[in-house]
Amino acid sequence: MTAEVAIAMPAVALVLALCLGGVHAVGQQVRLQDAASVAARALGRGEAESSARALVAATVPGATLETDRSVELVCATASANVRLVGAPTPIEIGARACAPTAGR
């Protein structure tokens, strides 16, 4: 019985590490969605794009912000790289939010 447990433990540790990495990625996604929403609302109020970038950077360090404007909407896309345990390269996750431009 001891040999079977000794063989199974590395597999259990790997699965646990992958699960924790997934939870971290989901948490980062939630923070990015919040940052994109805050940035879109700020841009919709007419604040400078540099201010919106600072808001995103304060919420998610290392995140980038891209904006897209139309006549009635301004959209913000926040993205960041997340390194998962066992993954050879980081994966990029992102979130997009739009807000009305308040007639500007």
Side-chain angles (χ1 to χ4, degrees):
M1 179 102 166
T2 305
E4 292 85 4
V5 172
I7 292 173
M9 287 308 285
V12 170
L14 178 63
V15 169
L16 180 61
L18 290 174
C19 289
L20 289 174
V23 168
H24 173 69
V26 169
Q28 189 81 336
Q29 172 68 33
V30 169
R31 286 189 294 278
L32 281 170
Q33 185 63 54
D34 185 45
S37 298
V38 169
R41 286 192 304 269
L43 291 169
R45 288 190 304 263
E47 292 184 27
E49 192 169 320
S50 60
S51 173
R53 288 186 194 286
L55 289 169
V56 169
T59 305
V60 183
T64 60
L65 176 69
E66 295 179 18
T67 61
D68 180 32
R69 293 179 183 269
S70 67
V71 175
E72 296 179 359
L73 285 178
V74 61
C75 296
T77 303
S79 59
N81 290 327
V82 175
R83 182 172 280 290
L84 298 178
V85 174
T89 59
I91 60 169
E92 184 177 359
I93 57 174
R96 181 176 170 91
C98 298
T101 58
R104 294 172 199 243

